[in-house]
Each structure stands twice: as structure tokens, then as C-alpha cells.
Amino acid sequence: IKLYFLILLIKYKYLELFKGLFVGKNIVEEGGAYFKKHLGFDLESKLRSKLMMIYDSKSINSRPFSVSTATGENLGGGTTISSVSGDASNFTITWNIGDRYQNQIHKVIYKQECCFDGVLYNQDIIKWESIKYLTLAQYYHQQLEMFNFALPADDMEARA
């Protein structure tokens, strides 16, 4: 969640930086020196490593993921996800585990809120068929471009 807030902050306060984030301009180079120099603050290492994942050009379906609960309990993971079924509160993921020479299929049922490397959550994973060929940068950008803040003045009753 911190990553989304950081990117939202960048989007609404530092638009040029936001644009650079999704076109391959490495703003987290040299351990976050860009943030220190231009924005006046350091990124914690955990957040910096998650932001670095955005620069990975692999599509989401070719990424290995580790899965954990919201409290950090490790739930396993795999090398790639081959399919997802179900809804956000109870879904099944079919993982490929191993390399291309000794690939094993492993099915896991998740009945709780979980996160994949701290960048994808239940609501993201159930969209698997529409996001699997995107990179993380493309997916984040798509999510952030569709993000709208509801203001009281936007309410029809408030306008009447």
C-alpha cells in the first residue's frame, strides 16, 4: 500500500517524475539518490526495492512471486502463475514450480487476503487474464490513470 501512496504522491505533486517512472527513466538509481536530491527525502530500502520491481521488463505472467499474508506470514509461491480462478476472497492459483526442464504444477487455494511480493493483492490477481501480459509498470500505470478521487461536490445530491 505504501508503494501506491508513493506513486500517487509522485503523480499529483511531481508530474514529470511520474511520467519518467513509466517510460524507463530510472528514478531510483543509486539507492534512491534521486529522491534525496530532488524531493528531499530518502526511501526506506524495502520500498525502494518494490519500486525497482517496476523497472523489470518481464511480463507479470513470467515473474516468480512469493506470497505472504498481510501480517507477513509466508504462504509459499512459485516461478510463474499459469492460471487463476475464483473471486477475491477464495481463489485458486495454479503455479509452475521449477525451471523449464523439471516443471511441476502446484495448485494452491487462498482463502485470505494475501500479497504477491508486496506489489499485487487479491483484487489484482483475480484480474489475471487481463493483466498477465503487462509489465508491473504498465499495470500500475493503468491502475493509477483510472484512479479517481470522489469529492463531496461530485455527489449528485450535494449539487442539488
Side-chain angles (χ1 to χ4, degrees):
I1 293 174
K2 285 182 183 180
L3 184 59
Y4 271 110
F5 282 128
L6 174 65
I7 296 172
L8 280 173
L9 166 82
I10 293 168
K11 178 181 180 182
Y12 289 103
K13 195 146 170 82
Y14 307 99
L15 188 57
E16 287 305 310
L17 179 59
F18 176 77
K19 290 176 183 174
L21 181 63
F22 296 104
V23 294
K25 181 180 174 187
N26 190 350
I27 63 164
V28 288
E29 62 198 7
E30 299 169 18
Y34 186 98
F35 284 90
K36 184 70 173 170
K37 179 180 176 186
H38 297 284
L39 307 181
F41 64 87
D42 287 318
L43 287 178
E44 62 182 52
S45 62
K46 210 173 187 184
L47 189 57
R48 187 170 53 241
S49 69
K50 292 192 185 331
L51 194 55
M52 288 295 285
M53 292 173 79
I54 289 175
Y55 295 106
D56 188 348
S57 60
K58 294 179 186 172
S59 61
I60 294 171
N61 72 335
S62 64
R63 294 184 52 81
F65 284 106
S66 62
V67 184
S68 61
T69 64
T71 59
E73 176 190 350
N74 187 347
L75 299 175
T79 54
T80 55
I81 298 173
S82 56
S83 68
V84 176
S85 60
D87 59 41
S89 61
N90 185 4
F91 59 96
T92 303
I93 295 183
T94 305
W95 291 94
N96 292 330
I97 299 177
D99 58 27
R100 62 183 180 167
Y101 302 109
Q102 57 180 132
N103 195 20
Q104 300 174 20
I105 304 290
H106 185 64
K107 240 182 201 185
V108 182
I109 299 172
Y110 295 99
K111 296 183 180 210
Q112 61 198 17
E113 184 68 31
C114 55
C115 66
F116 292 69
D117 284 343
V119 293
L120 296 176
Y121 293 83
N122 293 35
Q123 295 298 328
D124 303 310
I125 295 298
I126 61 169
K127 301 176 195 172
W128 184 252
E129 287 304 314
S130 62
I131 72 168
K132 65 183 179 182
Y133 296 116
L134 300 174
T135 64
L136 282 173
Q138 290 168 330
Y139 179 63
Y140 269 54
H141 190 260
Q142 174 186 346
Q143 290 297 99
L144 290 166
E145 286 303 305
M146 294 176 9
F147 189 82
N148 292 316
F149 292 100
L151 301 174
D154 294 337
D155 186 0
M156 293 302 278
E157 291 177 19
R159 285 191 234 160

